[in-house]
């Protein structure tokens, strides 16, 4: 992926030099009918943080300790921050253009918060356990760039375009928020059984994958930044973070009724659907049968 020397976004809030911050830690042991281990795995699936959509009776909050400042950023940290900023700028330009031309709307970009280890958010503490997520309460994406190392070393999904897919997926949730999709899903999940609630969550995540594919197709055409092998990196990342693959890698039997992000095949299918079409209208995962 060709990103060095290109324009970065102004919508970056960098909290990394401040070190890990105090805040609220959320224990989700009883939420949504899922066990704590399953929800921790879900946290690693860089998706929208659905904590605000869950029944608050199932949440237990406790104070998180404040940690001392971590010091200045390394050269690698700064490079990763620049990479995220450039990728975010590309998403802003592409989605603003799609909203204007195809929808007759104005796209309001999200702020992306870079943090180290932990930082507070209105959706609970962002940390390594939650993974990157979009918080619909403040309209911000929360990302610790150390997650890219986890993606590469522990989830076997390395490469700069795999990392760009992480950012594009989270921005896909911002697009859903702008279109009112998140509010509709919240209302539906509030009335649903745990199984139906999980199924709606899956379709939400798959749509964000499809939107990431739409972004990738436009980035290739508009900016010429996609190189040979980049799409394969994104497809591999989609496969490695499927609910079924993560469950097997954790030594558990995949249980489809508990899935919240989709299988590896589903995630690959919908990313490819977005990339091949380049059209937001091709990403209606709620109306179309999912493989």
């Amino acid at each position: 992926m060709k990103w060095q020397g290109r324009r970065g976004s102004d919508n970056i809030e960098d909290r990394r030099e401040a070190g890990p911050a105090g805040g609220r830690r959320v224990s989700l042991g009883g939420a949504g009918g899922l066990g704590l281990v399953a929800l921790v795995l879900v946290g690693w699936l860089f998706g929208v943080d659905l904590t605000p959509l869950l029944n608050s009776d199932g949440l237990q909050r406790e104070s998180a300790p404040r940690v001392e400042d971590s010091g200045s950023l390394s050269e690698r940290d700064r490079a990763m921050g620049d990479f995220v900023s450039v990728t975010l700028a590309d998403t802003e330009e592409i989605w603003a253009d799609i909203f204007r031309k195809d929808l007759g709307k104005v796209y309001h970009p999200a702020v992306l918060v870079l943090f180290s280890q932990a930082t507070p958010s209105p959706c609970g503490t962002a940390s390594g356990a939650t993974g990157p997520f979009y918080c619909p309460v403040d309209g911000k994406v929360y990302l610790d760039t150390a997650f890219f190392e986890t993606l590469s070393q522990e989830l076997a999904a390395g490469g700069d375009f795999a990392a760009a897919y992480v950012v594009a997926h989270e921005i896909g949730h911002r697009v859903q928020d702008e279109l009112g999709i998140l509010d509709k899903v919240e209302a539906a999940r509030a009335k649903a059984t745990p199984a139906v609630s999980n199924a709606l969550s899956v379709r939400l995540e798959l749509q964000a994958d499809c939107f990431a594919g739409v972004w990738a197709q436009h980035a290739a055409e508009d900016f010429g930044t996609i190189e040979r092998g980049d799409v394969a990196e994104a497809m591999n990342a989609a496969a490695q973070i499927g609910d079924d693959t993560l469950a097997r890698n954790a030594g558990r039997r995949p249980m489809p009724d508990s899935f919240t992000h989709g299988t590896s095949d589903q995630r690959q299918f919908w990313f490819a659907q977005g990339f091949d079409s380049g059209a937001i209208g091709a990403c209606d995962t709620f109306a179309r049968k999912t493989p």
Side-chain angles (χ1 to χ4, degrees):
M1 179 179 175
K2 301 175 184 178
W3 66 271
Q4 291 90 344
R6 299 183 58 239
R7 179 184 67 86
S9 172
D10 293 328
N11 293 306
I12 294 286
E13 182 180 330
D14 198 338
R15 301 180 186 177
R16 292 176 297 171
E17 286 191 285
R24 307 283 286 175
R25 184 168 60 237
V26 182
S27 173
L28 298 170
L34 296 177
L36 178 60
V37 173
L39 278 167
V40 169
L41 279 175
V42 167
W44 286 78
L45 292 175
F46 58 82
V48 65
D49 184 275
L50 295 176
T51 298
L53 311 185
L54 299 174
N55 187 333
S56 60
D57 292 338
L59 305 180
Q60 295 178 344
R61 295 180 179 268
E62 57 189 59
S63 297
R66 182 172 296 277
V67 184
E68 293 299 321
D69 288 356
S70 59
S72 60
L73 298 176
S74 67
E75 184 176 342
R76 175 176 173 77
D77 288 336
R78 293 188 186 281
M80 292 310 299
D82 291 341
F83 168 80
V84 170
S85 179
V86 169
T87 303
L88 182 64
D90 285 354
T91 68
E92 292 167 350
E93 187 170 337
I94 286 169
W95 284 114
D97 192 54
I98 291 174
F99 267 52
R100 182 178 62 256
K101 292 181 178 179
D102 298 346
L103 305 175
K105 297 178 180 291
V106 175
Y107 173 68
H108 303 94
V111 170
L112 192 150
V113 178
L114 294 173
F115 68 92
S116 176
Q117 299 183 44
T119 196
S121 88
C123 295
T125 296
S127 70
T130 63
F133 66 85
Y134 173 72
C135 177
V137 178
D138 62 0
K140 296 181 179 181
V141 170
Y142 290 81
L143 171 66
D144 184 344
T145 54
F147 179 78
F148 296 144
E149 295 183 12
T150 299
L151 192 67
S152 175
Q153 298 174 11
E154 298 186 32
L155 299 180
D160 54 5
F161 201 72
Y165 166 48
V166 174
V167 177
H169 176 97
E170 298 312 325
I171 295 303
H173 290 305
R174 174 60 177 180
V175 172
Q176 291 172 325
D177 200 2
E178 287 282 276
L179 296 176
I181 295 171
L182 290 187
D183 287 340
K184 292 179 180 178
V185 173
E186 175 183 0
R189 293 183 79 240
K191 302 175 183 177
T193 64
V196 172
S197 178
N198 290 340
L200 288 170
S201 176
V202 167
R203 292 186 179 275
L204 197 70
E205 295 300 327
L206 295 178
Q207 187 176 63
D209 283 333
C210 187
F211 287 166
V214 171
W215 164 80
Q217 200 259 15
H218 283 266
E221 287 193 355
D222 298 350
F223 307 133
T225 55
I226 306 242
E227 300 176 294
R228 182 183 299 273
D230 280 347
V231 174
E233 289 179 1
M235 291 288 282
N236 176 58
Q240 295 301 327
I241 47 76
D243 283 323
D244 54 338
T245 298
L246 283 176
R248 292 189 188 97
N249 290 343
R252 297 186 296 108
R253 180 171 62 88
M255 301 179 65
D257 284 348
S258 70
F259 289 171
T260 58
H261 286 63
T263 67
S264 295
D265 287 346
Q266 289 172 333
R267 301 199 76 163
Q268 287 187 311
F269 173 86
W270 282 105
F271 177 85
Q273 177 76 7
F275 184 79
D276 292 342
S277 69
I280 193 171
C283 295
D284 191 349
T285 57
F286 296 90
R288 180 172 172 176
K289 184 177 180 180
T290 296

